[in-house]
Amino acid sequence: MKEKLEAIKAAAKSAVSAAAGEKEIEELRVKYLGKKGELTAMLKQMGSLAPEERPAAGQLVNEAKQWLESLIAQKKEELKSKATELKLKAETIDITMPGKEVAAGGLHPINIVVNDMIDIFQSMGFDVVDGPEVETDYYNFECLNVPADHPARDMQDTFYLADGLLLRTQTSAAQIRTMENRRPPIHAICPGRVFRADEVDATHSPVFHQLEGLVVDKGITMCDLKGVLEQFAKEIYGSDTKVRFRPSFFPFTEPSVEVDVSCSECGGKGCRVCKGAGWIEILGAGMVHPNVLRCCGIDPDVYSGFAFGIGIDRITTTRYKISDIRLLFENDKRFLEQF
Ligand code: PHE
């Protein structure tokens, strides 16, 4: 019996050490230690031994079983750590390789300019208000003293939606909303996107940007308007900048002016940026029409105010010497990365 046991042990030992995978090891476990395994069979044969031999023989077989169990466990561990080692080797990362570059985003030139404009007006005491881009006819035209049959509507043809809604043609709509919701004194600006049914060319886009300004209080005059706009122009274009008022017409202001700034590029001599004029037109303005104040429930005999609407795209193209307004809306990264 002893010899048989030794033979099984020797065979098992070489088989286990030769095993190359977990599956083989499991097969060996079944072969020797399973229910029909060779060592199990030996235990079953104990009955055929003389009673006095049984304890010693039983002990031997049990020892052999334990020995083989631990041998198998050890081999399993070995295979496992070998597999981990191989896996780690296969997954090594070469930390000397150059990393992936994360492209940092930036502000669109229009947003850079808007932020600067907001800073300037906030420092003068204006707060920023917001208005919807989809407006009603009432806020965009009617209450701004532009009734349905007014010829000024021609110049501001827009995109009409269902239920009398339209895409706002001017941030002036926000004047009305502000005056409806607040009582004077009012000092507010509203920067935003506006829309007109214009053909696209180097200086026109159906989508563009304005910054509306509004001041309403007792005793506000055109001098206040000029002072605010002069200060704004100097901060945006430099302290030598001059401002020029030309008479104009807007239905919602009276009197109305068109405002030019001296060209910061040539100082007024005339160059490519100002197209030889020496001046650049940047905004429309005027004293708020009494009808508009009345429409918002503000008594024009007690209060007066001024309003202005600045073309943000114009400020952006002149500041950065951009020759074509379309570049602002095409989202070409090669263009946008320059700011
Ligand atoms: N809303 C006018 C425009 O878009 C500009 C403007 C605003 C004029 C405020 C006067 C006062 O042309």
Side-chain angles (χ1 to χ4, degrees), residues 210 223 308:
Q210 286 187 334
C223 294
F308 55 85

Side-chain angles (χ1 to χ4, degrees), residues 130-135 140 158 166-171 173-174 190-196:
D130 205 5
E133 290 177 355
V134 174
E135 262 299 2
N140 195 77
T158 183
L166 46 83
L167 297 188
R168 67 174 176 191
T169 59
Q170 45 191 351
T171 42
C190 172
R193 225 169 1 171
V194 296
F195 308 84
R196 289 186 198 176

